Amino acid sequence: MKEKKFKKKEQLLEIAIKEFAEKGYENSSLNNILKETGISKGTFYYHFKNKEDLYGYIISILIEEKKNFLQKNFNAEIYKQDIFSILKNLTNIGLEFARSNPQINKFAESFMKEKDNEIYHKMINKFSPDTYEYIDNLIEMSYQKGEIRGDLPNEFVKRIVSYLFSNIFEIANMFKLEDFEDISDILIKFIKSGLEKK
């Protein structure tokens, strides 16, 4: 991937996020985005392969922004809690990020509506490994603290929990981020009832 530094880059991303958020991936027009941004097709195709590449790049930028937000707002003391409380805190901070960034929130809701389309599954497959790694580390730490039942295979637990969190929108048939708090509470209770060491 070429370094994406060029004039009007921020404007392109802002207009593209708005276009995707309002119209969805399939109905969004790359021509409209370029026309409104005022950049040539040559400039665009030098930095991006196509509309899908732009869409994926936007998602990667938003994931990075969310990670930075989490790091700034996630007190190290939280890691002293059990894994179920940590997961709850993470979802709360994620919701705070969404509420404080309305356009990103709108884009995320638009993305959730793509769950029956190929683009959704491509992006989930592309970006889920980052989620997997983070949750894997939390679960490993939880095993070491003796919070998770010892009769359950470590790798199996990691795969199941990572899958549930990465696919929560699809599993819950959820389209609005405002529903995420209730659904994530249910998911954490479900995980806790199965994994917690009694």
Side-chain angles (χ1 to χ4, degrees), residues 77-95:
E77 289 294 307
I78 292 172
Y79 283 108
K80 293 179 181 175
Q81 299 176 342
D82 63 72
I83 187 172
F84 312 107
S85 301
I86 293 171
L87 290 171
K88 175 62 181 163
N89 276 295
L90 278 172
T91 56
N92 287 343
I93 295 168
L95 283 166

Side-chain angles (χ1 to χ4, degrees), residues 127-145:
F127 295 108
S128 284
D130 287 345
T131 304
Y132 284 17
E133 185 181 358
Y134 186 76
I135 290 177
D136 282 0
N137 292 336
L138 284 179
I139 290 171
E140 194 61 50
M141 182 176 72
S142 187
Y143 266 106
Q144 289 169 11
K145 287 159 70 177

Side-chain angles (χ1 to χ4, degrees), residues 5-79:
K5 287 184 179 176
F6 58 96
K7 197 176 176 183
K8 295 192 175 180
K9 174 188 164 187
E10 295 307 316
Q11 189 181 353
L12 170 68
L13 296 178
E14 187 180 320
I15 289 168
I17 287 170
K18 185 172 183 284
E19 176 90 0
F20 288 130
E22 291 177 357
K23 299 179 182 175
Y25 178 77
E26 288 299 330
N27 294 323
S28 291
S29 164
L30 184 56
N31 285 334
N32 285 350
I33 293 168
L34 298 184
K35 186 178 177 183
E36 199 171 334
T37 310
I39 67 171
S40 69
K41 286 188 177 181
T43 299
F44 176 82
Y45 285 113
Y46 179 78
H47 295 282
F48 299 94
K49 293 177 192 169
N50 47 33
K51 182 170 83 167
E52 182 181 313
D53 191 29
L54 173 62
Y55 193 71
Y57 183 69
I58 288 170
I59 291 174
S60 73
I61 293 290
L62 300 186
I63 287 171
E64 204 54 43
E65 284 188 23
K66 186 175 180 180
K67 277 184 189 173
N68 292 336
F69 186 88
L70 286 169
Q71 285 170 358
K72 285 177 188 171
N73 293 277
F74 203 71
N75 190 312
E77 289 294 307
I78 292 172
Y79 283 108

